[in-house]
Amino acid sequence: METMDARTLAERYIALWIEPDEEVCRAAIRALWAPDGAHVLLPPAELVEAAAELGFEALTLEAHGHAAIEKRVSSSYARFVAAGEHTFRARGDAVRLGPVVRFEWESVRVEDDVVLGGGSEVLLLGPDGTIVRDSMFPH
């Protein structure tokens, strides 16, 4: 993958989460992530609390490799974007420090541009510029 600036990477990253064409999305995932790359999600507080009640001190949700990341992205698209009521967009500036890129994103209601939620993304890039680890922190 060509080296790209942080803002372009953030825009391409967000674009794949709202892409309706499965083939385009699949190609974007393969272009952005390393073959063994990971998407790691800090789960919602209620899920963390339920896990703690079962004795789990730490809980993360992880998808490893292109196929698992594709399943994660397509499930998110079906749940949040497909109906045409919501979309995602980058918020603010993305920044890069060596192999780490950080940016904010938000979930927006299409009808009136009301922000419904959002989060932070921290991407660790490999030597070839592909994502080795994608850590998502919804808030």
Side-chain angles (χ1 to χ4, degrees), residues 97-116:
L97 181 59
V100 178
V101 174
R102 182 187 56 78
F103 62 93
E104 302 283 319
W105 56 270
E106 53 194 17
S107 172
V108 182
R109 190 167 48 218
V110 172
E111 177 183 34
D112 53 12
D113 207 38
V114 169
V115 175
L116 304 170

Side-chain angles (χ1 to χ4, degrees), residues 72-121:
R72 165 76 177 109
V73 171
S74 66
S75 296
S76 175
Y77 179 85
R79 181 171 181 191
F80 299 111
V81 180
E85 297 174 9
H86 304 98
T87 191
F88 299 113
R89 66 183 178 204
R91 181 181 71 210
D93 287 335
V95 294
R96 183 171 181 165
L97 181 59
V100 178
V101 174
R102 182 187 56 78
F103 62 93
E104 302 283 319
W105 56 270
E106 53 194 17
S107 172
V108 182
R109 190 167 48 218
V110 172
E111 177 183 34
D112 53 12
D113 207 38
V114 169
V115 175
L116 304 170
S120 300
E121 220 60 42

